[in-house]
Amino acid sequence: MSKLKDKRREKTSVASEIDRLEERRTRCHDNLERAEFKSRKEQLSERERQELEDEMGIMNERVQKLDKELKTLRGENRRNMVLSVALLAISALVYYMFVYMEEDS
């Protein structure tokens, strides 16, 4: 199953992967806020409160994991952007040199 996910992710762009992870992070964060609100406003038994705190701990770990993945993907996206700009600049320089070399001849 993991290999299938990796192959699927290889076919997606970095930007779409960032969007997908941000959406998942937002959903996890919303669920975490709902759980925190529930723990403050409702009268819960000790067992229910412990289960809710365990669930909140799991959600916090997920949010942290997603933040780490997002940081990595944003770095990769930044690196790709710099490479694209560098290639554009080199292409423009070659074109500029080609045009002015033709005029001088």
Side-chain angles (χ1 to χ4, degrees):
M1 177 102 178
S2 179
K3 289 182 181 181
L4 180 63
K5 279 186 175 182
D6 290 341
K7 285 189 177 190
R8 202 176 333 137
R9 285 184 180 172
E10 286 177 5
K11 294 181 181 182
T12 61
S13 69
V14 174
S16 62
E17 187 71 15
I18 288 173
D19 290 340
R20 187 184 68 79
L21 288 177
E22 284 179 343
E23 186 176 309
R24 283 181 60 198
R25 184 190 178 282
T26 300
R27 282 194 310 252
C28 283
H29 199 271
D30 289 344
N31 290 339
L32 183 61
E33 285 179 356
R34 269 192 236 110
E36 287 175 349
F37 180 77
K38 184 178 179 181
S39 72
R40 282 179 295 180
K41 295 296 180 182
E42 293 184 16
Q43 296 293 327
L44 302 173
S45 68
E46 190 60 38
R47 185 180 63 79
E48 291 173 329
R49 185 170 302 282
Q50 186 61 42
E51 288 174 359
L52 192 59
E53 287 177 7
D54 292 344
E55 184 180 334
M56 287 169 51
I58 291 169
M59 284 188 273
N60 273 326
E61 289 174 12
R62 284 182 187 164
V63 168
Q64 289 173 356
K65 181 181 175 186
L66 289 170
D67 283 342
K68 187 177 180 180
E69 286 182 50
L70 279 168
K71 183 178 179 181
T72 302
L73 285 172
R74 286 182 179 133
E76 186 176 331
N77 195 33
R78 196 174 302 115
R79 189 173 50 249
N80 289 343
M81 188 262 319
V82 168
L83 180 62
S84 297
V85 170
L87 288 173
L88 179 65
I90 290 170
S91 299
L93 182 63
V94 168
Y95 178 77
Y96 181 77
M97 288 174 51
F98 180 75
V99 167
Y100 279 100
M101 292 292 182
E102 288 291 318
E103 287 181 7
D104 289 342
S105 297

